[in-house]
Amino acid sequence: MKEEKSIVPANGYFMLLVFLVSFFGSIAAIFVWQTPWPVITVVLSLIMAFGFVMVQPNNSRVLLLFGKYVGTIKKNGFYWVNPFYTKKKISLRASNFDSERLKVNDKLGNPVMISTILVWRVFNTYKAAFDVDNFENFVRVQTDAAVRKLASMYPYDNFADEGHDEDITLRSSVNEVSEALEKEIEERLRIAGIEVLEARIGYLAYAQEIANAMLKRQQATAIVAARHKIVEGAVSMVEMAIEELNKNQIVDLDEERKAAMVSNLMVVLCGDKDASPIVNTGTLSH
């Protein structure tokens, strides 16, 4: 047998009644009849007591008879089975696994620290019990292996200035990376009869040895982008100012004076500090 087999054993309450009648009736017979033969029934009743099993909601019992798989009890309740069955408990509840922070290299070779949060549960008790040695340890090891593989497939961030412009990155493409991670882990855990409910990145950062350098790089990139936006807006404002002055014929500016005005406006609009105005009480030349 290579697949899971669900069974529903005998009702435990009925067998409990049989056990009580047999056990106490045999004890009473020993004293009433003054014969040792009911002792055999007492011993059999005690052996019978080992067959009682209680299955709680979202739990299961895998039954073995001298090493042979008999079936799995998934329906919760109180049951009685063959006393010689070996009963292995396997939980069917959803479990959380927060992996350790692993140090791996991304697609560009940068060391990053990454961890994952996994929600999983057993859907095939036969595979979980017999196809792997320890299914809980199997989940931990295979999840770490999947995270290492995933981190090597994508860069941490885009570096367009170096010609590395990726559509999917670990930092910005959260949904795409989570879907890829979930698919990778599910393929690895299917052999153990485990279903992946959710998988996502729990922690992501550059490794300590390059964290400061990468932080400065990100800050520099942000500053350059902000400066680019400021200059673009300043040029637009200077252009608008010159057009309005010419349109309304407020002042007649030659090319030299236009250049001086453009220079002054660009300094005022692009400067980090507030400009200090100087009032000219003479002519434009003095």
Side-chain angles (χ1 to χ4, degrees):
M1 182 176 293
K2 298 295 183 181
E3 296 296 332
E4 180 185 77
K5 177 183 177 182
S6 295
I7 61 174
V8 179
N11 187 291
Y13 297 102
F14 174 75
M15 296 304 295
L16 178 62
L17 178 62
V18 173
F19 164 75
L20 294 176
V21 172
S22 174
F23 181 76
F24 290 105
S26 298
I27 294 178
I30 294 175
F31 291 101
V32 173
W33 297 340
Q34 298 296 319
T35 176
W37 291 109
V39 174
I40 299 176
T41 307
V42 173
V43 174
L44 293 176
S45 299
L46 293 176
I47 295 175
M48 175 184 174
F50 290 98
F52 292 105
V53 57
M54 182 178 295
V55 181
Q56 298 178 350
N58 284 329
N59 273 282
S60 66
R61 293 292 189 279
V62 177
L63 305 179
L64 298 174
L65 180 60
F66 303 120
K68 181 181 179 181
Y69 174 68
V70 178
T72 302
I73 308 173
K74 285 189 172 181
K75 186 177 181 180
N76 62 293
F78 183 56
Y79 303 102
W80 183 86
V81 297
N82 189 327
F84 296 100
Y85 281 172
T86 300
K87 300 175 280 293
K88 183 176 181 180
K89 180 180 178 181
I90 295 181
S91 175
L92 303 178
R93 300 172 182 174
S95 301
N96 284 319
F97 171 61
D98 188 2
S99 69
E100 297 181 358
R101 296 179 180 179
L102 304 175
K103 183 179 180 180
V104 298
N105 292 331
D106 68 354
K107 184 178 180 180
L108 302 180
N110 297 319
V112 298
M113 301 298 295
I114 187 172
S115 69
T116 184
I117 297 176
L118 178 67
V119 183
W120 60 277
R121 67 182 176 189
V122 175
F123 73 91
N124 190 311
T125 57
Y126 179 88
K127 292 183 177 180
F130 307 115
D131 284 357
V132 293
D133 184 36
N134 185 323
F135 68 90
E136 293 182 347
N137 183 64
F138 187 80
V139 170
R140 291 192 292 269
V141 174
Q142 293 301 320
T143 299
D144 290 347
V147 171
R148 291 181 181 275
K149 180 180 178 180
L150 180 82
S152 65
M153 294 172 57
Y154 304 106
Y156 180 90
D157 205 351
N158 272 319
F159 297 105
D161 55 338
E162 293 185 356
H164 303 291
D165 190 7
E166 301 285 345
D167 294 332
I168 300 178
T169 63
L170 296 174
R171 187 182 66 86
S172 59
S173 306
V174 178
N175 294 332
E176 292 82 356
V177 172
S178 296
E179 290 177 3
L181 177 62
E182 182 175 335
K183 183 178 179 181
E184 179 68 24
I185 296 177
E186 189 170 10
E187 290 178 356
R188 293 171 177 266
L189 299 185
R190 189 178 295 117
I191 187 178
I194 293 173
E195 176 187 9
V196 177
L197 302 179
E198 182 186 6
R200 58 186 175 86
I201 301 298
Y203 178 85
L204 180 64
Y206 280 114
Q208 186 176 1
E209 58 265 28
I210 67 168
N212 292 332
M214 288 301 178
L215 178 59
K216 292 179 180 179
R217 182 192 183 108
Q218 292 176 353
Q219 291 174 343
T221 302
I223 292 173
V224 170
R227 287 294 182 183
H228 177 77
K229 198 69 176 178
I230 291 173
V231 171
E232 183 180 354
V235 171
S236 176
M237 295 176 66
V238 169
E239 182 181 3
M240 181 183 64
I242 294 176
E243 289 180 357
E244 291 295 327
L245 289 173
N246 291 334
K247 180 180 178 181
N248 297 327
Q249 298 181 352
I250 296 176
V251 63
D252 186 16
L253 299 175
D254 55 19
E255 293 302 324
E256 183 180 354
R257 291 175 178 175
K258 284 183 180 180
M261 185 184 73
V262 169
S263 176
N264 293 334
L265 287 176
M266 291 297 292
V267 170
V268 172
L269 296 174
C270 298
D272 290 334
K273 300 179 180 179
D274 295 336
S276 300
I278 298 176
V279 178
N280 186 1
T281 57
T283 64
L284 291 177
S285 301
H286 298 87

